[in-house]
Amino acid sequence: MPRKPKMTDEERRAYSAKMRGELEAVMDRAYGAMVGSEEFWATVMRTAANLTHPDRDDRSPTNCIAIAAQHPNATHVLSSGDWRKAGRFPVKGSTSLRIWTPIKRRPEEGQEAAASADGGQREATGETAGDEVRKVSGFKAGPVFDISQTDGDAYEPPAAAPLAAEVIRDVLVNQYRDQYHEDPERAGGFDFTQEAPDNAVRILLYGHAWRRITEADAPLPGQHAAEVASAAHVAALILGITPGPAVMPPLAGIITQDKKPPVHESAVRVIETGRAIARAVTTAAERRRELAVTS
């Protein structure tokens, strides 16, 4: 079978511009849906939880929005090259998902380096290749595929060891006392020994999110409470707890001078807060497990 001829520089630039335009259109539609559909807002939150990884960088909140708009049930997303390393490949006829990927350049030469389609937290950082430091100079649209779009070897995505709800509850109580210097039961009027463990976790996650997201960051009436509920929702999904509702913030019709609408900043804050809470819990629980084994 003859090999496909390589694109010229001009064709490559035209193709890149076309892909970028299509991804920008996806983002515009997604932002519109996020302020008009409670269901789609919840889909973005679920996607962000699904694409939070124990073994590698998480997909960025922006790319979680992009992926949710293109494949609402995505659970594990990799580039075609990374899927091949795992013994899988995109199914013939499947359409790639577009995400923002970093353009990395050598500072001395200004020469574009190969950009990995990871869309994760590495987007805004430099990367060392040998003795060279390649810095992010921008972003382009890169193709990835969800596991449901691939075939090949059996593949089980790496997953963190599940935590019992009782363990999560106890960790959250201790963190609340240590970080905020308050007893959560006294502060909220709860007796967690009388609550089902899952319900106690939901209450505590909401309390932690309330402390982490300030009203100054979410000033519109109802925005703070919505973001807090959604951050707790994301954290619960990551931790394997049945979540409370993901509440859409009241941002429809809000216009600013920024290129991105206010709902973008809101979603980023919610996703990062939910992930931070869940990460703190899993880290503390792992330390407890290590201490128990040592003892």
Side-chain angles (χ1 to χ4, degrees):
M1 191 174 174
R3 296 181 67 180
K4 189 176 179 180
K6 290 184 178 180
M7 289 189 288
T8 65
D9 288 345
E10 186 176 345
E11 288 172 334
R12 191 178 295 108
R13 284 192 292 269
Y15 178 76
S16 180
K18 178 175 178 289
M19 293 299 98
R20 183 182 182 89
E22 290 179 0
L23 181 51
E24 286 174 342
V26 166
M27 298 305 299
D28 287 342
R29 291 195 298 272
Y31 290 139
M34 287 169 72
V35 295
S37 168
E38 194 98 39
E39 181 180 355
F40 184 69
W41 173 265
T43 296
V44 171
M45 299 301 110
R46 183 184 69 244
T47 301
N50 287 341
L51 302 183
T52 301
H53 307 292
D55 62 320
R56 60 188 173 88
D57 290 340
D58 302 332
R59 298 293 174 180
S60 69
T62 299
N63 279 334
C64 289
I65 296 169
I67 292 167
Q70 298 169 83
H71 197 298
N73 297 312
T75 59
H76 198 72
V77 173
L78 295 173
S79 67
S80 58
D82 285 339
W83 278 124
R84 286 192 173 90
K85 290 176 186 176
R88 297 182 69 83
F89 51 87
V91 174
K92 187 177 180 180
S94 57
T95 302
S96 64
L97 313 177
R98 298 289 165 174
I99 65 171
W100 296 110
T101 65
I103 299 171
K104 293 171 183 173
R105 301 179 186 275
R106 299 182 182 91
E108 299 84 0
E109 302 176 13
Q111 191 175 11
E112 183 176 326
S116 130
D118 71 4
Q121 293 177 340
R122 288 172 289 180
E123 285 175 340
T125 64
E127 188 171 280
T128 301
D131 293 327
E132 290 182 335
V133 176
R134 295 175 176 178
K135 295 189 176 180
V136 174
S137 61
F139 297 90
K140 64 181 181 180
V144 292
F145 295 85
D146 182 60
I147 189 171
S148 64
Q149 299 175 290
T150 67
D151 201 354
D153 296 345
Y155 180 79
E156 190 67 34
L163 296 174
E166 292 85 351
V167 171
I168 299 173
R169 176 199 62 200
D170 294 345
V171 167
L172 287 169
V173 168
N174 289 332
Q175 288 178 335
Y176 203 98
R177 290 170 179 158
D178 293 342
Q179 293 171 14
Y180 314 128
H181 308 294
E182 285 185 20
D183 187 308
E185 292 184 311
R186 290 184 181 179
F190 299 106
D191 181 355
F192 291 126
T193 61
Q194 300 301 313
E195 295 280 351
D198 278 28
N199 194 44
V201 169
R202 283 188 287 271
I203 294 168
L204 285 160
L205 289 174
Y206 189 92
H208 277 269
W210 186 277
R211 288 295 200 133
R212 287 174 178 257
I213 298 176
T214 69
E215 293 193 59
D217 290 330
L220 292 181
Q223 183 184 355
H224 181 247
E227 289 191 10
V228 167
S230 294
H233 178 93
V234 171
L237 287 174
I238 295 170
L239 294 169
I241 298 294
T242 302
V247 182
M248 182 179 70
L251 295 170
I254 305 297
I255 299 173
T256 67
Q257 298 297 321
D258 298 330
K259 289 183 179 180
K260 296 183 179 71
V263 73
H264 169 86
E265 183 181 336
S266 180
V268 169
R269 184 165 46 245
V270 164
I271 292 168
E272 290 181 344
T273 300
R275 283 174 166 174
I277 293 170
R279 191 174 299 115
V281 169
T282 54
T283 300
E286 184 59 34
R287 285 179 187 153
R288 282 179 48 158
R289 187 181 290 128
E290 290 172 357
L291 288 173
V293 170
T294 303
S295 299

